[in-house]
Amino acid sequence: MNILITGFAPFGGDGENPSQLALEALPGAIAGARLAKRLLPVSFLAAQRAVCAAIASERPDAVLLTGLAGGRAKISLERAALNVKDARMPDNDGDCPVDQPIRADGPAAYFATLPLRRIEARLRQADIPVEISNSAGTYVCNLALYCALDEIARQGACTRAGFIHVPYLPQQAAAHGAPGMPLETTVRALTCALEEIARG
Ligand code: PCA
């Protein structure tokens, strides 16, 4: 089994992105599944291209995208992606789309296809704060999930895909006066999720 796992580069004035650090800390294989790691740019245009290119070249059995949701206290298992780009701040290329569709001819939304309830139960068992989230936002993370699910749908593939948002690192949390999570816990959460995905 081949799982494509992604994280995002820093953005919005933060020097670090916990999803990048967690991606780097993960091993090359989990529970017999090979992990193909990709770091995605925080750019609407470049992330769309990178997600489609990674799925085309890796032909993964499953896709787990990850990113930072600053201000959230729990690991967020995203339920859906909306066909909209509505940026609250410019991306790392200075692009700041408002009320634009990701794909003019695409469906309004896609549901994630990973086993979210199983992953949620597994994280609860491991005492990691977790929730199913009904909004991945309207920024680059939502776009990455939408593009992954859209690419898979267009290929007619049965690849499962989903997105996990992670909290700030403790030092970022302190600086922002917001909740955070130790990197070790975030890595453990992603490891549990990948083990569940590898179980099929
Ligand atoms: N979080 C942003 C984009 C990159 C990231 O890690 C988001 O939630 O859209």
Side-chain angles (χ1 to χ4, degrees):
M1 187 176 201
N2 191 18
I3 303 177
L4 173 64
I5 167 115
T6 72
F8 272 104
F11 67 103
D14 278 307
E16 292 175 305
N17 190 323
S19 69
Q20 174 181 7
L21 302 183
L23 180 75
E24 289 165 358
L26 287 168
I30 284 182
R34 175 183 165 264
L35 300 187
K37 300 183 187 184
R38 291 282 199 291
L39 182 68
L40 298 179
V42 184
S43 152
F44 285 98
L45 190 62
Q48 182 159 5
R49 288 190 182 140
V51 166
C52 293
I55 291 174
S57 68
E58 288 295 335
R59 302 226 146 255
D61 300 293
V63 181
L64 179 58
L65 308 153
T66 74
L68 164 68
R72 291 198 195 167
K74 299 178 180 177
I75 295 288
S76 298
L77 312 179
E78 298 297 349
R79 194 196 294 274
L82 297 179
N83 186 7
V84 67
K85 298 186 274 188
D86 191 47
R88 59 192 180 278
M89 62 183 148
D91 69 14
N92 286 353
D93 286 338
D95 193 15
C96 197
V98 174
D99 294 343
Q100 287 178 22
I102 294 170
R103 289 201 73 115
D105 59 346
Y110 283 105
F111 285 115
T113 50
L114 292 178
L116 300 189
R117 289 293 174 199
R118 242 176 57 206
I119 296 171
E120 181 191 31
R122 178 69 195 281
L123 266 62
R124 287 244 158 82
Q125 237 172 39
D127 268 331
I128 300 170
V130 60
E131 67 191 349
I132 290 183
S133 157
N134 292 315
S135 175
T138 55
Y139 198 53
V140 182
C141 288
N142 171 72
L143 168 125
L145 179 57
Y146 188 92
C147 290
L149 292 163
D150 188 66
E151 181 67 18
I152 290 163
R154 275 160 195 274
Q155 285 177 3
C158 55
T159 309
R160 290 178 172 264
F163 197 104
I164 293 184
H165 261 128
V166 306
Y168 278 134
L169 296 165
Q171 61 271 28
Q172 295 178 305
H176 289 282
M181 185 174 274
L183 180 61
E184 177 268 326
T185 309
T186 295
V187 172
R188 211 151 47 80
L190 297 184
T191 303
C192 288
L194 289 163
E195 283 172 1
E196 287 304 319
I197 295 165
R199 276 180 49 200

